Amino acid sequence: MAVVPLRPGRASVRLLPLLCGGARNKAASLSPAVPGRLTQRRYKKDVLPCPEVPVPSVSITEIRQYLRAQGIPFHDGYSCLHTPSLFTSEQEPQHQPPSAASAPYTLFIDKTTGSFLCTATLAEGTWQDFQANVELRHHGVPFPSSGEPEEDTRRAREDARCVWDRALPLWELLDEDETHITKTMFGISMVTDATLKRFGVRYLRTAKSLVFPWFSPRDASLKGVKLVGVETQGDTVTYVEQTLPRSGSYCNLFGLPLISRRDTEVVLTGRELDAVALYQATGVPSLSLPRGPTSLPPTLLPYLEQFKRITLWLGEDLRSWEAAKLFARKLNLKRCSLVRPGEQQPRPLEALRRGLNFTKILRAALPASHKSIISFRQLREEVFGELVNVEQVAGVKWARFPELNKLLKGHRKGELTIFTGPTGSGKTTFISEYALDLCMQGVCTLWGSFEISNVRLAKIMLTQFAARRLEEQLEQYDEWADRFEDLPLYFMTFHGQQNIKTVIDTMQHAVYMYDITHVVVDNLQFMMGHEQLSADRLAAQDYIVGAFRKFATENTCHITLVIHPRKEDDEKELQTASIFGSAKASQEADNVLILQDRKLVSGPGKRYLQVSKNRFDGDVGVFPLEFSKASLTFSSSKSKVRLKKMKEEKAPSSKKAPAGGTGTSKKP
C-alpha cells in the first residue's frame, strides 16, 4: 500500500457550513501595524516588501548594542536573545529597565530579523515595535492594549470550537467496529487509547477525519484545529488536511502543552500522528510542525529555545530530508540531529507498525553540522541515498507538463534556470503556470514580477488555477480565491529598476521567514533598468546573474530567471546564444528553457518549449505546447496526443522541426 504525504485540503469551505451554520473564515486584514502598538498575531501572505516602505534590516550586533545601552539584561540562546519581558504585570516601575533578578526571561528576540515574542503574554512585533515600547516605558506611558481579537480571528476560533465540540474521542465511540475501522483507515491500530487521550486526538464522524487541537500555550484555550482525512485510490492512500484558522495563520506546535520546563531534548516530526507514535514508543517529548516539511515559521523558534538537543524526523522521502537540513540552520546546527529516511528508518508511525527499534533509529541520527569532510566515508550514505531514491533526487515533478519531466526529470533545489522567448510569445503566462504547477504541490514560491503588476499576475495565475474564465462566473470567485490563497505563494512588490542588493536581501528574508524554495524573477532587463551604457549593462547583468547563482547555491533555493533574447530575425529560431548579454548567463545556468514561437501567416503561431541545457543528466529536446485562451494555460489534456502525432508526422522531415528535434537527445 503506497502512502502519499499530506496535502492541503479543499473541503473546508464546504465542511464548515454543514457544521457551523455557514460561518466562513475570511483572510486576515492587511492593515499595517503601527510602531509601538501591539497587534494580534497575524500572518501576512501578501507581498514582500513595499518599495516605498522597505523592511528595515537589523544585525545581531546592533540588537546587542541597543539592549546594553538601554540597560536591558539578556543572554544568548540558540536562535534568539532572551530578555525579561516588558509586558508582564509583575514588572518594575515603567521608567526603569527590567533587571535580571526581578523578572523571568520570557521575551525572545529573533537574532536574524529582530522580531520579538513574549511567551508569557503572547505579545509580539517587529524590532521597531520593541524599540518603541522601550521608549514608552522610559517615559512612563502605559503600554497600548492589544484589544479584542480581530473579527476573522474570532470567527475562526468559533468555527474551531464548533468542530471540536462535535468531535468525539475515539475510545468513546459506541460501535467497536467503527473504532476498529477508523484506526485501520488511519494506520493507528498500534496506537493505544491512552496515548490518543494524552494528546487529545478526536474523531469527527461527519467529515470522517481525525481532529488535532491547537491550545494556547498561555491559558490552554482552544485557538484552532486541524482535520486530517484519508482518500483511497486503489492501493494509494492520500492524507488530506484542513485547518482552522486557515493554513497561513495556523501555527501550532502539536504536543507543546505536554512539554515540561525541565525537558532538554525533543523530536520534531512532520505529522501529528508521527509525534503520537514516537512518544508512545519512546516516551521522548515529541512535537509536530504545523505544515510538515513545508515550513518552519520563525515565530515558533522561541518555544524551542529550551532544548539542548533537537532531532528532526520529518518523513520518509528526500524532500523531508532536504527540509530537515534547512530547518536545522534556523534552529542552530550545533544542537540538531537528523534522521535520514531509509527502508529501516521510515516515518515514526510506520516504524511503530513494523515494530522497529526507535532507540536505535534515534541514536543513529546524524549531526547536522560537520567541521570538515575528510574522506568518502562521510559521503557514503549520501551517495547511497541518491542511488536508491533516483526519482526523488530528480526533484518535484510537474503535473501539467509531463513532457518536461521526461527532459529535466524534475524541479530541484539549488539550481538556476534561465528562461527566454520572443517578445509576445507568452513568456510570463507560461512561466506563471510553470511555477503554479509546482506551488500546488507544496513548493514555497516567491514571485518577483518587475514587468507587470502583481494584480495582473495574480489574475493570470488564478485563472490558470481555476482553469476557467472567472469573469464569466463571478459567483465562483470566492471559492477559487479561498483555495488559491492557501497556496504557499508570495509576491515582491518591486517594479521596474531595482538595486540587486535590495532584491537579494528581500529574497533572503523570504527564505528565512517563509522557507521559500523557488524564486521567479521576471525579468532581468526590467529589474536592471535602461540607464547604463551598453558595456556597463553587460557587466551589470553578469554581476546580477552571478549573485542569483550564488544565492541559489547557498540557500538551496531554485531560481527561475526570465531574460529577453537578442533582437534577431523573426524567422530564425532562438538558440542558447540568443540570450541577451554575454555567455555568463547560459554558463552559470543549470537549465536553459526557450519558448519557441513559429509565426504563421495563415493563423496563430505554433509554440514549442525547448530544453537546450540540462546539467542534471544532459537530456535536451523540444515538445509542443497548446495554448488555451479561456484558461490562459499551455497545458492541455490533448497535448500528449498531439505530441505523439507530431512526432510521427515530423520525423521524416527534420527541416521543419524546431531546433532540438521533436523528441529528446543526449548531450555528448
Side-chain angles (χ1 to χ4, degrees):
M1 178 178 67
V3 178
V4 179
L6 285 169
R7 62 177 175 82
R10 297 181 177 178
S12 58
V13 177
R14 299 188 298 272
L15 174 63
L16 288 180
L18 297 176
L19 297 177
C20 307
R24 295 180 58 191
N25 179 25
K26 293 286 187 180
S29 170
L30 301 181
S31 58
V34 180
R37 180 179 180 182
L38 297 177
T39 58
Q40 292 294 322
R41 172 174 293 147
R42 59 176 73 120
Y43 298 89
K44 297 183 181 180
K45 261 184 100 261
D46 49 347
V47 291
L48 302 169
C50 179
E52 291 77 18
V53 188
V55 173
S57 59
V58 61
S59 68
I60 182 61
T61 301
E62 292 171 330
I63 295 175
R64 290 193 181 105
Q65 290 175 346
Y66 179 83
L67 295 177
R68 291 191 185 104
Q70 298 298 325
I72 300 175
F74 68 91
H75 64 77
D76 270 290
Y78 296 101
S79 306
C80 306
L81 296 179
H82 305 194
T83 76
S85 177
L86 302 174
F87 312 106
T88 53
S89 57
E90 301 85 5
Q91 50 184 303
E92 297 181 1
Q94 292 195 350
H95 64 279
Q96 298 179 4
S99 65
S102 64
Y105 285 54
T106 58
L107 190 141
F108 300 84
I109 302 175
D110 192 299
K111 292 182 179 180
T112 302
T113 65
S115 299
F116 73 90
L117 170 67
C118 174
T119 55
T121 63
L122 299 187
E124 67 171 349
T126 65
W127 174 242
Q128 289 69 36
D129 293 329
F130 179 83
Q131 291 176 305
N133 279 281
V134 171
E135 295 301 321
L136 289 176
R137 182 188 184 90
H138 285 321
H139 291 87
V141 179
F143 294 123
S145 172
S146 60
E148 294 296 322
E150 292 182 356
E151 176 65 17
D152 295 320
T153 302
R154 184 185 61 79
R155 292 177 61 183
R157 291 185 181 182
E158 290 177 356
D159 292 342
R161 171 57 64 181
C162 180
V163 171
W164 183 247
D165 290 342
R166 289 173 178 261
L168 295 173
L170 276 173
W171 57 93
E172 290 185 5
L173 296 180
L174 298 179
D175 190 342
E176 293 185 2
D177 290 338
E178 181 184 9
T179 302
H180 176 72
I181 292 174
T182 301
K183 282 192 169 186
T184 303
M185 179 172 61
F186 287 95
I188 56 175
S189 299
M190 301 292 293
V191 179
T192 65
D193 290 344
T195 304
L196 294 173
K197 184 176 182 179
R198 175 179 174 82
F199 282 87
V201 182
R202 295 187 179 184
Y203 179 67
L204 187 63
R205 275 197 179 108
T206 53
K208 294 184 178 180
S209 301
L210 294 180
V211 181
F212 301 94
W214 175 18
F215 294 115
S216 170
R218 182 178 62 169
D219 55 13
S221 61
L222 185 71
K223 298 185 66 175
V225 293
K226 175 185 281 190
L227 287 81
V228 177
V230 172
E231 292 181 358
T232 304
Q233 294 182 350
D235 292 334
T236 302
V237 176
T238 303
Y239 291 93
V240 183
E241 68 175 23
Q242 51 194 99
T243 62
L244 285 171
R246 304 179 64 158
S247 58
S249 300
Y250 184 82
C251 216
N252 176 30
L253 270 177
F254 179 72
L256 185 61
L258 304 178
I259 298 295
S260 166
R261 291 184 179 181
R262 293 176 294 178
D263 291 329
T264 58
E265 71 174 81
V266 70
V267 180
L268 295 183
T269 67
R271 306 182 194 174
E272 288 76 9
L273 289 178
D274 286 334
V276 171
L278 197 147
Y279 176 81
Q280 176 176 305
T282 64
V284 175
S286 307
L287 299 173
S288 173
L289 299 179
R291 301 163 209 169
T294 301
S295 174
L296 172 57
T299 191
L300 298 179
L301 297 181
Y303 298 107
L304 300 171
E305 281 291 292
Q306 75 179 74
F307 302 109
K308 296 180 180 179
R309 175 183 169 86
I310 297 178
T311 303
L312 291 99
W313 190 352
L314 300 185
E316 54 194 353
D317 55 11
L318 281 186
R319 190 172 180 181
S320 301
W321 171 248
E322 293 296 331
K325 291 190 286 187
L326 290 177
F327 295 169
R329 296 182 187 179
K330 286 186 182 181
L331 295 166
N332 193 313
L333 294 171
K334 294 181 180 179
R335 61 168 173 165
C336 292
S337 299
L338 316 177
V339 174
R340 178 189 300 281
E343 177 63 27
Q344 296 302 314
Q345 296 184 165
R347 54 180 290 224
L349 185 61
E350 176 64 15
L352 179 67
R353 186 187 68 81
R354 291 166 53 182
L356 299 180
N357 189 328
F358 277 72
T359 302
K360 182 179 179 181
I361 294 175
L362 292 176
R363 285 179 178 173
L366 303 174
S369 61
H370 285 284
K371 292 183 178 180
S372 61
I373 301 295
I374 58 175
S375 69
F376 177 70
R377 183 177 182 180
Q378 282 76 27
L379 295 172
R380 180 172 181 149
E381 290 302 316
E382 291 270 3
V383 174
F384 180 74
E386 294 208 358
L387 293 175
V388 172
N389 303 285
V390 176
E391 286 297 312
Q392 295 181 27
V393 171
V396 180
K397 302 295 187 291
W398 284 272
R400 300 188 178 204
F401 302 101
E403 294 300 323
L404 191 57
N405 293 328
K406 296 179 181 178
L407 296 173
L408 292 181
K409 305 304 183 292
H411 181 271
R412 294 166 291 277
K413 298 177 183 178
E415 293 190 350
L416 173 65
T417 295
I418 300 295
F419 178 65
T420 191
T423 301
S425 60
K427 291 190 296 297
T428 299
T429 304
F430 172 81
I431 210 67
S432 65
E433 185 181 12
Y434 161 100
L436 176 64
D437 188 339
L438 298 168
C439 189
M440 291 171 65
Q441 300 178 64
V443 176
C444 297
T445 304
L446 174 65
W447 251 97
S449 178
F450 297 87
E451 184 171 359
I452 67 173
S453 68
N454 284 323
V455 173
R456 183 179 171 191
L457 175 62
K459 177 185 174 184
I460 292 173
M461 298 185 76
L462 179 59
T463 302
Q464 293 171 334
F465 180 69
R468 64 194 68 192
R469 296 178 65 88
L470 291 175
E471 57 264 40
E472 298 174 357
Q473 305 175 52
L474 292 178
E475 69 281 359
Q476 298 185 18
Y477 175 78
D478 281 340
E479 178 182 354
W480 285 106
D482 285 345
R483 298 182 184 182
F484 186 74
E485 189 176 328
D486 286 337
L487 296 177
L489 177 64
Y490 305 85
F491 301 90
M492 291 186 283
T493 57
F494 297 132
H495 190 76
Q497 183 176 358
Q498 294 296 329
N499 181 280
I500 180 61
K501 184 179 184 303
T502 304
V503 176
I504 292 293
D505 286 347
T506 303
M507 291 163 53
Q508 191 76 56
H509 177 79
V511 167
Y512 180 80
M513 294 296 296
Y514 308 107
D515 297 290
I516 297 298
T517 55
H518 184 204
V519 179
V520 182
V521 178
D522 182 20
N523 60 61
L524 181 62
Q525 282 89 340
F526 267 77
M527 190 186 77
M528 291 174 56
H530 304 277
E531 296 179 1
Q532 297 99 336
L533 298 175
S534 178
D536 294 336
R537 284 180 58 78
L538 293 179
Q541 177 172 321
D542 287 351
Y543 174 78
I544 292 174
V545 170
F548 283 138
R549 168 74 270 177
K550 181 180 179 182
F551 182 90
T553 302
E554 292 182 347
N555 294 276
T556 321
C557 178
H558 192 115
I559 295 181
T560 300
L561 180 60
V562 181
I563 304 179
H564 283 312
R566 305 174 188 272
K567 294 294 183 181
E568 295 187 350
D569 191 340
D570 291 341
E571 296 182 359
K572 293 183 179 179
E573 291 173 345
L574 300 179
Q575 304 293 333
T576 302
S578 303
I579 299 173
F580 182 84
S582 69
K584 185 176 179 65
S586 57
Q587 290 171 353
E588 293 280 10
D590 296 284
N591 313 294
V592 176
L593 307 182
I594 303 175
L595 183 61
Q596 303 284 7
D597 186 11
R598 297 183 60 201
K599 303 294 184 181
L600 301 178
V601 179
S602 58
K606 293 183 178 294
R607 296 186 178 97
Y608 303 85
L609 185 68
Q610 178 180 346
V611 177
S612 61
K613 182 178 181 180
N614 175 7
R615 186 170 282 162
F616 180 70
D617 71 350
D619 279 354
V620 295
V622 64
F623 61 90
L625 298 171
E626 182 178 345
F627 180 68
S628 170
K629 190 173 182 180
S631 61
L632 300 180
T633 58
F634 282 92
S635 56
S636 170
S637 59
K638 299 180 181 179
S639 60
K640 190 172 182 181
V641 178
R642 287 178 56 83
L643 175 61
K644 290 181 178 179
K645 182 178 180 181
M646 290 185 68
K647 284 183 177 179
E648 293 173 359
E649 292 179 353
K650 296 289 184 180
S653 179
S654 59
K655 292 183 179 181
K656 294 183 181 181
T662 55
T664 64
S665 62
K666 195 81 171 182
K667 286 185 178 180

